[in-house]
């Protein structure tokens, strides 16, 4: 019996579980291998067990309830006879970029540490719909001379309008650059019209017609800590017990070295002594 026939005999609850595991909602890590010269997707059993215990699976309807690892492994074991996936053994890859060769094992049982290859691609209606849409577009393009005159005229107006918008954008960019080069010479540092034309902003804000000088914005420096409190020599004498060290800047014009600093100790006279 073929794989398709076995999958068709699966109950609806089993099919719902398989569709969940095959979808992106399960968050299973999918690997790519080579089986008999064809690429196949495969996963690890532990990843499938974790997916059945996730909150996303708990929200599903018409699926078997799973609350423990044993229940999840039993459910995954019951899916194997319908050949949606089969246990495989992995070989060594020829290169780091090539997929690993895999082979189906004779003993089919679910083990969390083993790997399983998918033989089910999921619902194919999106693929069929995309193929039909592509064929319809190609036929419409080929049969353009047979279109009614009104439709052909409408397509011509739309194409001319799109080309006009693209040309207007390039023309605006060129005028903007020419104006900047002129003002760069006449009124340095230059003026940009439509300054946000290429900025990461909305479409309406990009085409707001105002101007600004080509001056980079200064970064505001945050003041760290409290500002130092300035004190007079008299206050230092009073707080330091009658003596303090004052830094004196040596302002000698004959040398080009940085100004040196020297210390001077002053003692205050005791008002009580004669």
């Amino acid at each position: 019996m073929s794989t398709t026939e076995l999958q068709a005999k699966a109950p609806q609850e089993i099919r719902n579980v398989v569709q969940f595991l095959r979808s992106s909602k399960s968050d299973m890590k999918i690997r790519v291998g080579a089986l008999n010269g064809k690429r196949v997707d495969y996963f690890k059993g532990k990843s499938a067990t974790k997916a059945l215990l996730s909150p996303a699976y708990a929200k599903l309807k018409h699926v078997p309830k799973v609350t423990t690892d044993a229940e999840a492994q039993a459910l995954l074991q019951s899916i194997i006879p319908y050949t949606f996936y089969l246990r495989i053994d992995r070989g060594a890859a020829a290169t780091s970029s090539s997929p690993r060769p895999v082979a189906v094992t004779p003993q089919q049982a679910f083990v969390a540490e083993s790997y399983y290859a998918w033989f089910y691609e999921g619902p194919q209606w999106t693929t069929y719909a995309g193929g039909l849409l592509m064929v319809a577009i190609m036929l419409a393009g080929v049969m353009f001379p047979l279109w009614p005159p009104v439709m052909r005229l409408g397509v011509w107006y739309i194409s001319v309008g799109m080309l006009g918008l693209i040309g207007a954008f390039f023309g605006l960019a060129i005028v903007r650059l020419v104006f900047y080069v002129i003002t760069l010479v006449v009124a340095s540092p230059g003026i940009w019209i439509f300054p946000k034309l290429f900025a990461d902003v909305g479409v309406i804000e990009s085409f707001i017609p105002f101007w600004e000088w080509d001056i980079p914005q200064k970064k505001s420096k945050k003041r760290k800590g409290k500002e130092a409190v300035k004190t007079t020599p008299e206050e230092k004498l009073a707080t330091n017990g009658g003596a303090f060290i004052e830094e004196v800047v040596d302002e000698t014009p004959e040398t080009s070295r940085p100004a040196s600093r020297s210390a001077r100790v002053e003692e205050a006279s005791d008002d009580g002594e004669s």
Side-chain angles (χ1 to χ4, degrees):
M1 190 175 292
S2 64
T3 303
T4 306
E5 294 176 350
L6 290 173
Q7 292 178 1
K9 293 183 178 181
Q12 187 60 40
E13 289 187 351
I14 297 297
R15 299 183 68 88
N16 294 338
V17 175
V18 172
Q19 290 178 6
F20 168 75
L21 295 175
R22 200 69 173 100
S23 65
S24 59
K25 297 179 181 179
S26 62
D27 291 333
M28 291 173 54
K29 183 179 180 181
I30 302 298
R31 301 172 172 86
V32 179
L35 178 63
N36 298 328
K38 296 181 179 180
R39 288 178 175 265
V40 292
D41 296 338
Y42 68 94
F43 61 93
K44 195 172 184 179
K46 185 184 296 184
S47 179
T49 304
K50 184 179 179 181
L52 293 182
L53 295 173
S54 64
Y57 179 80
K59 296 178 181 178
L60 296 178
K61 297 180 180 180
H62 307 294
V63 293
K65 293 184 178 180
V66 176
T67 56
T68 61
D69 289 346
E71 293 179 357
Q73 293 181 14
L75 178 57
L76 293 168
Q77 173 65 37
S78 66
I79 299 175
I80 292 179
Y82 300 105
T83 64
F84 288 103
Y85 52 79
L86 295 175
R87 186 179 176 182
I88 58 172
D89 290 331
R90 298 195 305 172
T95 61
S96 58
S97 59
S98 61
R100 286 192 176 191
V102 298
V104 179
T105 59
Q107 297 179 353
Q108 291 296 321
F110 185 82
V111 181
E113 298 300 327
S114 298
Y115 294 92
Y116 299 85
W118 281 109
F119 293 92
Y120 175 69
E121 297 297 333
Q124 299 295 315
W125 66 270
T126 55
T127 304
Y128 297 147
L132 292 175
L133 181 62
M134 184 64 65
V135 171
I137 293 174
M138 292 178 64
L139 287 176
V142 171
M143 299 176 65
F144 179 78
L146 301 178
W147 286 18
V150 176
M151 293 180 63
R152 285 184 289 172
L153 184 62
V155 171
W156 184 81
Y157 279 134
I158 292 173
S159 60
V160 170
M162 293 298 296
L163 290 175
L165 287 176
I166 296 174
F169 179 80
F170 280 102
L172 179 62
I174 294 172
V175 171
R176 177 176 178 265
L177 179 61
V178 171
F179 184 81
Y180 171 73
V181 172
I182 294 174
T183 55
L184 186 64
V185 178
V186 177
S188 181
I191 300 174
W192 285 109
I193 56 174
F194 298 96
K196 295 184 179 181
L197 184 64
F198 297 102
D200 188 13
V201 295
V203 177
I204 297 176
E205 191 175 356
S206 299
F207 291 95
I208 294 178
F210 68 94
W211 58 274
E212 66 181 16
W213 293 94
D214 188 19
I215 300 176
Q217 297 181 355
K218 296 182 179 180
K219 297 181 179 180
S220 59
K221 297 182 179 179
K222 298 182 179 179
R223 296 182 180 179
K224 297 181 179 180
K226 297 181 179 179
E227 295 182 352
V229 180
K230 297 182 180 180
T231 56
T232 60
E234 290 77 7
E235 293 176 350
K236 292 182 179 181
L237 286 173
T239 56
N240 295 324
F244 73 95
I245 299 176
E246 181 181 3
E247 294 182 355
V248 180
V249 180
D250 188 6
E251 299 178 351
T252 306
E254 290 79 11
T255 178
S256 61
R257 295 180 179 178
S260 60
R261 297 183 176 180
S262 60
R264 183 177 64 190
V265 179
E266 294 184 2
E267 293 185 357
S269 60
D270 191 358
D271 296 339
E273 295 180 0
S274 57

